[in-house]
Amino acid sequence: MSLVEEATRIAREFDYPAEQVQRGVSEYIRQLNEGLAKENTTLSQIPTFVTAVPNGTEKGLYLAVDLGGTNFRVCSVQLHGDTTFSLTQSKIMIPRELMASGTSKDLFLFLARQIESFLRIHHNEHFEAHLRRRLDGNHEQDLFDLGFTFSFPVRQFGINSGTLIRWTKGFNIPDAVGHDVCALLQSAIDELQLPVRVAALVNDTVGTLMARSYTSPGETGTFLGAIFGTGTNGAYVEKLDKITKLQHMKDAHYDKSTGEMIINAEWGSFDNHLSVLPSTVYDHDLDAESNNPGVQMFEKRVSGMFLGEILRRALLAIHNNPKLAIFKASETSKVSLPSDSLFYRQWGLDTSLLSQVEADTTKDYVDVKAALKDHLKIENPSNDECEAVKILVHAIGKRAARLSAVPLAAILIDAGKLDSDDVVDVGVDGSLVEFYPNFEGYMREALREVPQVGDAGNKKIRIGISKDGSGVGAALIALVASKDE
Ligand code: ADP
């Protein structure tokens, strides 16, 4: 068997045909409804207490902060009321000692100080006016409403309250666990006497939905927001009476007048038991050797953090076949890799390589060669080596895009969104959907193959990129929250 034949054989293992998409959709609908009824299900279906989406006419100046990784972002958003906005932003690296050794008070005071210097630089007039009014004994006037994007697991009780379940991503400040992170931020803000009210706790996927709903054309409002970046997740507008588990949440408080609430699906964990998800030996080994085996199984087949690693494992399998030559010096390959090459290292291949390779339309593999050089320092690969890489990239990327159609189709079908002639608006964000060539096209191909969607349903779905979920999206949630008061 030749190198290209072997790559083609492995690529076929990544096929995800129409009938499997259909099975995925049926199972997703089952898990979706289970998640609306009970706690501790595979799909968490988290109620966000956000009960309305914007229509583009919202106005005002709002603050948003984002704590979720190495940087803390502070921004102010001026909503002009005509689907446009202006955004001013600053980004500060969080000192390592505050992430992992201090107390929660140290961390939140640091965050509040960043908000203070942001206000002094960008909104000093407002800030000074507030201080003057405070001296007059008028405390409640002219507060900025702030949306707090906090990308760690929280148990939410209302639009501006939620307790931290555990830290992730290198943070470790034990005394914060179990506490309301909005209250922690608010008390640090109050200690510095800032004119700021923490109005909303924001999930970034919900922010994506809100940002798209404000900026999207037309009056329908956005139905669903989805992220295909480092991870994957989605949020959508659900009928309140279907979220039956809310009845058991005695402490919950929210506005019931719209009859709807945005649900954060946490779909990265769809089908963790692998009842319907496709699986190759490469998926299996990636999971087994990850630091969280058995969870986020959908995400591990779809998102940017994992696609490069799936590809690396498939290429390595061919590399280790003594009868075939890929990336090892031989009669047919001039490539020889050092033993410390990224090719041999777990997580050594970034998913941006897949986008570069997939974009190649040249007959002598100009972009594939550039990608192999950029990512693996490989010089002079043969045409067969390039072709093998291209075949596998295409298979892995296409499966990810087709899998992405499953939650989308399932949520639309379950909500009855395709039963009328109305357009259904969907906002998406993330490097994969933005940069992987034809990601949306492959996703739509799979959508059309689902009988309950079909060509007619697919045409009703309008998909648009929605940026700045944690900026303008968070500001919009702060606005909705302040109107609930
Ligand atoms: P995040 O999801 O962390 O907010 P991004 O949407 O930029 O940020 O996603 C980052 C992920 O996307 C990383 O896993 C990275 O490997 C992957 N990525 C970066 N650039 C590209 C690209 N051009 N094509 C596909 N994936 C990419």
Side-chain angles (χ1 to χ4, degrees):
M1 186 179 296
S2 75
L3 174 55
V4 170
E5 282 166 351
E6 176 64 353
T8 307
R9 185 191 67 76
I10 295 178
R12 255 185 246 123
E13 296 178 27
F14 289 94
D15 279 351
Y16 186 49
E19 61 276 13
Q20 280 193 43
V21 176
Q22 177 58 38
R23 277 184 58 216
V25 170
S26 305
E27 177 61 14
Y28 193 101
I29 292 175
R30 194 192 68 73
Q31 293 185 17
L32 174 161
N33 282 292
E34 187 181 58
L36 291 174
K38 290 191 287 198
E39 298 293 338
N40 305 319
T41 50
T42 32
L43 276 178
S44 305
Q45 298 283 80
I46 300 169
T48 64
F49 304 99
V50 179
T51 54
V53 298
N55 61 14
T57 62
E58 293 74 12
K59 276 187 179 166
L61 182 61
Y62 292 86
L63 285 182
V65 297
D66 180 358
L67 181 72
T70 44
N71 293 301
F72 179 59
R73 295 196 310 147
V74 185
C75 67
S76 60
V77 181
Q78 181 77 54
L79 301 166
H80 301 308
D82 58 358
T83 78
T84 70
F85 62 90
S86 349
L87 188 143
T88 311
Q89 184 179 186
S90 73
K91 205 159 105 174
I92 307 103
M93 207 154 112
I94 299 163
R96 280 218 68 82
E97 64 272 18
L98 287 181
M99 290 167 68
S101 53
T103 62
S104 62
K105 192 162 179 196
D106 296 334
L107 175 69
F108 283 90
L109 265 179
F110 171 82
L111 304 184
R113 283 199 196 96
Q114 307 313 314
I115 297 172
E116 176 170 25
S117 55
F118 179 88
L119 288 176
R120 288 225 177 256
I121 295 169
H122 299 289
H123 299 281
N124 199 40
E125 252 170 59
H126 184 124
F127 192 73
E128 292 290 337
H130 173 78
L131 291 181
R132 279 194 300 277
R133 271 193 292 275
R134 258 190 106 86
L135 287 175
D136 298 340
N138 191 348
H139 289 222
E140 289 301 315
Q141 287 292 307
D142 258 1
L143 295 184
F144 278 106
D145 282 310
L146 174 144
F148 182 16
T149 302
F150 184 78
S151 305
F152 300 95
V154 287
R155 189 163 292 120
Q156 221 170 324
F157 297 102
I159 200 159
N160 70 344
S161 62
T163 55
L164 175 64
I165 297 170
R166 63 178 174 277
W167 289 107
T168 57
K169 297 181 265 193
F171 279 75
N172 182 23
I173 309 157
D175 78 292
V177 175
H179 289 270
D180 180 351
V181 293
C182 288
L184 287 172
L185 181 60
Q186 186 69 62
S187 59
I189 284 170
D190 292 345
E191 200 162 321
L192 301 186
Q193 307 200 335
L194 307 181
V196 176
R197 194 174 70 100
V198 181
L201 187 59
V202 177
N203 166 277
D204 57 353
T205 312
V206 184
T208 298
L209 196 172
M210 298 291 275
R212 169 71 186 172
S213 196
Y214 177 78
T215 54
S216 75
E219 281 146 30
T220 48
T222 298
F223 172 67
L224 188 148
I227 291 181
F228 302 97
T230 304
T232 181
N233 187 18
Y236 70 100
V237 182
E238 184 58 279
K239 296 255 181 316
L240 265 183
D241 57 15
K242 279 188 67 184
I243 316 172
T244 50
K245 67 181 173 186
L246 276 174
Q247 293 154 11
H248 311 297
M249 297 178 74
K250 296 277 177 275
D251 298 332
H253 45 95
Y254 54 92
D255 170 22
K256 300 186 178 67
S257 66
T258 62
E260 295 177 335
M261 184 183 286
I262 297 179
I263 288 287
N264 164 15
E266 290 295 339
W267 71 38
S269 66
F270 167 55
D271 201 34
N272 278 344
H273 306 300
L274 297 184
S275 60
V276 292
L277 284 175
S279 248
T280 66
V281 61
Y282 316 105
D283 297 301
H284 174 272
D285 294 351
L286 177 152
D287 176 58
E289 290 169 37
S290 70
N291 61 10
N292 56 354
V295 301
Q296 299 297 98
M297 296 308 245
F298 181 73
E299 184 163 85
K300 281 175 178 154
R301 285 152 178 77
V302 170
S303 79
M305 180 154 178
F306 303 100
L307 299 188
E309 177 65 4
I310 298 176
L311 174 69
R312 192 189 68 86
R313 285 171 181 273
L315 287 170
L316 197 60
I318 310 181
H319 176 86
N320 289 338
N321 181 337
K323 297 204 189 84
L324 295 170
I326 190 164
F327 307 156
K328 61 186 176 201
S330 68
E331 270 171 44
T332 52
S333 173
K334 298 195 197 74
V335 179
S336 75
L337 290 173
S339 58
D340 64 349
S341 166
L342 285 174
F343 184 59
Y344 299 117
R345 217 177 296 161
Q346 192 183 20
W347 314 116
L349 270 193
D350 191 90
T351 299
S352 57
L353 175 132
L354 279 83
S355 291
Q356 243 175 312
V357 168
E358 180 74 8
D360 196 342
T361 51
T362 67
K363 60 179 188 317
D364 38 7
Y365 305 102
V366 175
D367 300 306
V368 180
K369 285 179 180 165
L372 291 174
K373 191 168 173 203
D374 292 350
H375 290 262
L376 292 172
K377 302 197 177 73
I378 286 176
E379 306 268 1
N380 296 319
S382 68
N383 281 355
D384 276 4
E385 285 173 303
C386 291
E387 182 63 21
V389 171
K390 220 177 147 173
I391 289 168
L392 286 171
V393 161
H394 182 72
I396 292 164
K398 188 170 175 178
R399 188 187 68 166
R402 288 176 63 82
L403 274 165
S404 305
V406 168
L408 194 56
I411 294 170
L412 290 169
I413 293 166
D414 191 67
K417 279 283 158 184
L418 302 171
D419 302 343
S420 81
D421 289 337
D422 295 343
V423 167
V424 190
D425 195 66
V426 173
V428 293
D429 191 14
S431 285
L432 199 59
V433 62
E434 213 176 332
F435 302 122
Y436 188 89
N438 200 34
F439 193 87
E440 183 185 327
Y442 294 130
M443 188 164 88
R444 282 189 182 274
E445 230 171 74
L447 278 173
R448 277 197 300 272
E449 290 163 10
V450 178
Q452 289 149 288
V453 180
D455 208 25
N458 178 49
K459 287 200 177 103
K460 291 179 203 163
I461 306 169
R462 184 174 63 195
I463 300 178
I465 293 278
S466 168
K467 302 216 70 86
D468 267 319
S470 67
V472 68
L476 286 156
I477 298 172
L479 178 147
V480 171
S482 65
K483 299 275 183 283
D484 277 1
E485 294 273 297

